[in-house]
Amino acid sequence: MFQSNILLIPGIGNSGLQHWQTIWGRRYGFSRVKQQEWETPACADWVSTLNTCVQKYDTNNLILVAHSAACAALVRWAQQYDVKAKGALLVAPADADAATFPEGAIGFSPVPLIKLPFPSIVVASTNDYFVTLERAQQFATAWGSEFIDIGDAGHINVSSGYGEWDAGLEILKKLD
């Protein structure tokens, strides 16, 4: 289905069994970053773990798929390391600078507003508790990402009805 290697990067809580990232991993054999701390993470630890995982691949053929707080970690990783992936899909990028960002997570703020050194797509919704549509658009512009507004979709996770999310796979194909 995909010619590229796909690396899933879950956000806080590690995307449960019914989450689209988990379903994609099971169904298509995509790899997944396994963090040491899922509930109260330090961004620096997440960035380090992500970098260790990325080193296992030919990055010219690697697409990163981040959800929520993992988007900020991915951008910080791109800022810190000189590695160019084939592309990145950044879904529902939680705003670490907002009051709604989960307590206990440290080092995610400020969210870097840098141009990513590879193609990327930001997918956001109009009613995400963790990021306003305007802030998601600001991220996309700063990161040099294509921006896709999928409407009333909450945090694009299980609680907002996104388990299978075949439309997300179609978006991912644009980077392959």
Side-chain angles (χ1 to χ4, degrees), residues 3 17 24 26 44 86 88 99 117 125 127 132 144 152:
Q3 295 184 12
L17 293 175
W24 289 5
R26 269 194 322 259
K86 184 174 181 180
S125 82
N127 64 332
T132 65
D152 183 6

Side-chain angles (χ1 to χ4, degrees), residues 43-144:
C43 188
D45 294 340
W46 275 25
V47 168
S48 176
T49 300
L50 173 57
N51 193 57
T52 299
C53 289
V54 166
Q55 298 309 311
K56 298 173 185 172
Y57 298 92
D58 168 8
T59 55
N60 294 316
N61 193 39
L62 179 65
I63 299 173
L64 306 166
V65 180
H67 181 254
S68 192
C71 295
L74 183 151
V75 175
R76 196 167 299 276
W77 166 80
Q79 182 179 44
Q80 187 173 338
Y81 295 94
D82 186 25
V83 179
K84 290 178 178 56
K86 184 174 181 180
L89 179 62
L90 302 123
V91 179
D95 187 354
D97 303 319
T100 55
F101 195 74
E103 287 185 28
I106 58 169
F108 290 84
S109 178
V111 176
L113 298 175
I114 60 156
K115 183 168 182 349
L116 292 171
F118 41 78
S120 57
I121 300 171
V122 170
V123 179
S125 82
T126 56
N127 64 332
D128 189 335
Y129 175 78
F130 295 104
V131 66
T132 65
L133 186 65
E134 296 73 27
R135 183 69 163 154
Q137 287 173 315
Q138 180 187 18
F139 291 153
T141 299
W143 299 339

